[in-house]
Amino acid sequence: MVIAELYRIGELSRISNISARTIDYYTKLGLIEPAKRTEKNYRLYAHETLQRLERIEEMKKAKYTLDEIKSALSTWSEVTPDEQVTLKLSEIQQHLAKLEQEVKELEPVIKKMKPRQVNRLYTRMMPQAAACIEALMLLTNKSSLM
């Protein structure tokens, strides 16, 4: 039998590299919640809280407000795994559309570049683009075209 590891706030802080004060604040806001309490009323957090904290920090870096993060996290936890995949693919699709728009905005600059510069640019970008396409194909269970 595997016992799930639980962390006190100090341990969670050390492992996640997020201050105990911030973790306490996130708990008060309802962004995270303790899995249980000890007899001495210490909060104990599950290992999954580390992943949730990582997601919160990523969203903060992307300039989401704490209210927006709370809303997104509550929506995320209410959906089934199939819905999670659908939501994530939808997010990726939106991100790709944004990247496509940014590339279109770069077209005038690229047209002014010398052919050799353009070739170097495409040579650097192609492996990453191909890897992204391959990952998306694997996610959607399509056979590899690469």
Side-chain angles (χ1 to χ4, degrees):
M1 180 172 117
V2 176
I3 299 174
E5 189 159 2
L6 297 175
Y7 306 100
R8 288 181 24 186
I9 195 166
E11 297 168 317
L12 189 65
S13 171
R14 181 180 46 78
I15 293 168
S16 67
N17 205 25
I18 297 171
S19 75
R21 185 175 175 191
T22 300
I23 292 171
D24 187 46
Y25 183 62
Y26 289 168
T27 302
K28 286 178 180 158
L29 290 177
L31 292 171
I32 59 172
E33 46 186 68
K36 68 181 205 174
R37 289 189 176 260
T38 66
E39 289 179 19
K40 294 185 178 183
N41 209 28
Y42 288 115
R43 288 173 288 183
L44 298 175
Y45 294 90
H47 184 74
E48 291 78 24
T49 305
L50 289 170
Q51 294 167 329
R52 195 167 176 99
L53 285 170
E54 186 177 306
R55 182 75 173 139
I56 291 168
E57 292 301 306
E58 287 172 2
M59 292 178 79
K60 276 177 51 182
K61 286 178 186 170
K63 306 291 186 209
Y64 285 90
T65 67
L66 291 176
D67 285 337
E68 291 170 329
I69 293 170
K70 184 176 181 179
S71 176
L73 291 175
S74 67
T75 301
W76 191 258
S77 63
E78 292 172 1
V79 297
T80 65
D82 288 343
E83 291 170 322
Q84 287 178 1
V85 170
T86 301
L87 285 171
K88 192 61 179 173
L89 288 173
S90 177
E91 287 176 17
I92 290 170
Q93 186 177 18
Q94 290 172 347
H95 188 69
L96 288 172
K98 183 179 177 188
L99 289 173
E100 185 178 355
Q101 180 61 37
E102 290 175 8
V103 168
K104 285 181 181 177
E105 291 171 6
L106 284 174
E107 279 183 30
V109 175
I110 292 172
K111 286 181 180 179
K112 292 179 183 176
M113 294 172 75
K114 296 177 183 174
R116 189 178 203 172
Q117 292 172 313
V118 173
N119 191 27
R120 256 188 295 175
L121 177 69
Y122 287 133
T123 302
R124 287 161 120 184
M125 290 176 53
M126 273 309 177
Q128 293 169 330
C132 287
I133 292 168
E134 182 73 16
L136 286 170
M137 291 172 72
L138 289 172
L139 279 172
T140 56
N141 293 319
K142 302 291 183 196
S143 62
S144 174
L145 294 176
M146 302 289 159

